Amino acid sequence: HWIEVDLRQMPADQRQQQAVQLVEQEANRPFDLEKGPLARFLLIEIEPDDHILMLTMHHIIGDQWSFGIIGYEFALLY
């Protein structure tokens, strides 16, 4: 599941606060174990060269070891 949010149309002084609110909302959004998805990506565009990418996964599909591999792969590709 992939969601993109473009905040560039907002006044520059409000973008960071809105991004924080979106991240908090996503972090607190429950998972539906029957319907899924069990992993969600949220991409927030603040500036043309400034983005936030958030991965939210239910613990049923990953553990600390898996998160370490995912973090390593993201860092390597970035």
Side-chain angles (χ1 to χ4, degrees), residues 46-66:
I46 299 170
E47 298 283 345
D49 293 329
D50 187 10
H51 298 74
I52 296 171
L53 177 62
M54 179 177 183
L55 167 60
T56 311
M57 290 175 44
H58 193 280
H59 68 89
I60 200 168
I61 63 169
D63 55 14
Q64 188 173 5
W65 180 76
S66 302

Side-chain angles (χ1 to χ4, degrees), residues 22 29 38 40 44-45 52 57 60-61 66 68-69 73:
L22 290 169
R29 193 161 58 118
L38 299 179
R40 302 184 298 247
I44 304 170
E45 186 171 3
I52 296 171
M57 290 175 44
I60 200 168
I61 63 169
S66 302
I69 292 173
E73 293 291 329

